Amino acid sequence: MVPRKRFPSIAMSSKNISSFVKHHFRHFNAATLVDAAEAYKKHLSGGGKMFVTIAGAMSTAELGISLAEMIREDKIHGICCTGANLEEDVFNLVAHDHYVRVPHYRQLRPEDEQKLLEKHLNRVTDTCIPEMEAMRRIEEVVLEEWLKADNSGKRLFPHQFMYAILKNGKLKKSHQIDPKDSWMMAAMEKNLPMFVPGWEDSTLGNMYAGHCINKQIKNVHTVRSGIEYMMELSEWYTKITTKGTLGFFQIGGGIAGDFPICVVPMLHQDLRRDNIPLWGYFCQISDSTTSYGSYSGAVPNEKITWGKLDVKTPKFIIESDASIVAPLIFAYVLGL
């Protein structure tokens, strides 16, 4: 039994986000949010590092507003994300004012969806990404980098090409949000280690394939692959855990989480590096249902059987909406 905690008065709870959350979030998923945030802080204060994985459409949900500050404040030390999240933060950076919100999206008819298509508005739940102002604008700039690398025989990872277009300043005149709210900008400035498995399953990945098909890009391997990302991740994980454990904070499910968490059993079972520590903290925000056989919905203890987590690893699963939960945890960790 866990004894009930004494909480501050309601007057105290309104002073900041952290005290509000501690006062009001006492049970169920809400209580787990507080426990996970406290354990996140404890992990960092004990000398550990944190790895964050980002699935879904969190960049379009403008997670960058809180995530960028976490990166700047060294609360995040590596990221694994989908190709969509990699690019959509930059889409938002340059085309924010052209996005269209559709709050009545649940009532849209097929004919309404067709009208959005005809306006080159690609819908993600209640938000439409403008093709010309976002996707094509980025394609034009990143294509220059792809061609330059292709012609010189240089090979880079997807995130390195994105870092390059943010660094060279060619997009600066197109910024439509404060760059401090772009998590990719913060990651570029820190040269944050990043891993993007399955990048071809993204808008820019599709565009890259098109340029390879029409022979504008001669070497399809100019953009480095997921296998190479795993090789990079294995070496980075081995190095970063020499001085402390690495935590795993998973937003959503799918390849963004499933790909990197496997690096530990690979190091142990395939490379026989028995001295490598397991993940030192685990938290997942998910609405996936375990009983459906979902990998993304698997309870943390299942990962013990795969050699990913230890019996004593702090483990949390928050079954809720990541667009609500993640910013609150980040604010808590930042002491806001």
Side-chain angles (χ1 to χ4, degrees):
M1 294 289 291
V2 177
R4 286 183 174 268
K5 300 175 183 176
R6 294 180 64 85
F7 290 88
S9 67
I10 190 67
M12 283 289 291
S13 73
S14 63
K15 285 189 175 181
N16 54 44
I17 296 171
S18 298
S19 61
F20 177 89
V21 166
K22 287 186 76 171
H23 182 82
H24 292 279
F25 288 19
R26 305 187 183 196
H27 303 283
F28 318 135
N29 277 300
T32 305
L33 183 155
V34 178
D35 294 341
E38 286 280 8
Y40 192 133
K41 292 177 67 174
K42 183 178 180 180
H43 179 76
L44 295 183
S45 64
K49 305 290 185 182
M50 191 63 71
F51 188 77
V52 172
T53 75
I54 310 169
M58 296 306 296
S59 288
T60 293
E62 299 190 69
L63 184 66
I65 295 170
S66 56
L67 182 62
E69 188 64 16
M70 289 285 284
I71 294 169
R72 282 191 294 269
E73 293 295 320
D74 293 320
K75 308 297 186 185
I76 294 172
H77 305 92
I79 284 178
C80 182
C81 71
T82 57
N85 276 297
L86 182 77
E87 65 194 14
E88 287 178 16
D89 181 76
V90 185
F91 292 167
N92 182 61
L93 174 67
V94 302
H96 182 271
D97 296 347
H98 297 280
Y99 278 59
V100 175
R101 184 160 180 263
V102 187
H104 57 287
Y105 68 93
R106 296 181 191 274
Q107 283 78 49
L108 292 179
R109 302 168 302 157
E111 294 80 8
D112 299 323
E113 306 279 19
Q114 179 65 29
K115 288 178 182 177
L116 292 175
L117 171 65
E118 291 166 2
K119 294 178 182 178
H120 301 281
L121 292 170
N122 303 129
R123 185 169 70 84
V124 180
T125 312
D126 71 342
T127 302
C128 294
I129 303 175
E131 179 186 336
M132 303 312 294
E133 292 83 2
M135 300 167 184
R136 298 302 171 186
R137 181 175 291 169
I138 298 303
E139 180 189 22
E140 180 182 348
V141 177
V142 77
L143 178 57
E144 292 180 25
E145 296 295 330
W146 289 339
L147 291 173
K148 184 167 68 175
D150 191 52
N151 292 331
S152 66
K154 191 174 183 180
R155 302 180 64 239
L156 296 172
F157 284 113
H159 77 277
Q160 292 175 318
F161 282 109
M162 299 303 281
Y163 281 0
I165 67 171
L166 291 172
K167 197 170 186 177
N168 67 24
K170 290 185 179 180
L171 293 174
K172 192 170 184 180
K173 65 181 183 299
S174 301
H175 288 182
Q176 293 187 355
I177 64 169
D178 190 330
K180 74 177 179 61
D181 291 336
S182 163
W183 73 263
M184 276 295 294
M185 187 69 75
M188 179 275 294
E189 291 169 351
K190 286 273 189 182
N191 195 26
L192 193 76
M194 195 176 299
F195 309 89
V196 190
W199 171 76
E200 59 272 16
D201 178 24
S202 68
T203 299
L204 290 178
N206 293 170
M207 290 173 177
Y208 180 81
H211 289 295
C212 291
I213 291 167
N214 67 20
K215 307 301 183 185
Q216 194 170 6
I217 294 172
K218 306 295 189 296
N219 181 9
V220 67
H221 301 297
T222 292
V223 176
R224 298 178 68 183
S225 72
I227 292 296
E228 291 175 281
Y229 261 133
M230 180 57 80
M231 294 166 67
E232 288 284 314
L233 176 58
S234 68
E235 295 308 312
W236 178 73
Y237 188 96
T238 299
K239 183 177 180 181
I240 200 170
T241 55
T242 56
K243 296 182 179 178
T245 62
L246 185 64
F248 196 95
F249 187 88
Q250 182 174 345
I251 300 173
I255 196 170
D258 296 341
F259 175 86
I261 202 167
C262 292
V263 73
V264 172
M266 187 201 74
L267 287 166
H268 288 168
Q269 298 167 23
D270 302 322
L271 293 174
R272 306 300 187 199
R273 297 182 186 176
D274 298 331
N275 59 326
I276 305 295
L278 299 176
W279 294 98
Y281 162 101
F282 178 84
C283 176
Q284 180 181 5
I285 307 167
S286 175
D287 63 357
S288 187
T289 305
T290 307
S291 62
Y292 293 163
S294 163
Y295 283 124
S296 300
V299 295
N301 281 351
E302 183 176 297
K303 293 173 173 59
I304 296 172
T305 73
W306 289 89
K308 299 167 184 176
L309 303 179
D310 185 71
V311 172
K312 296 181 180 179
T313 302
K315 308 172 194 70
F316 308 92
I317 186 162
I318 306 167
E319 295 175 319
S320 190
D321 184 335
S323 65
I324 298 170
V325 172
L328 286 173
I329 290 182
F330 292 162
Y332 195 103
V333 173
L334 289 166
L336 299 180

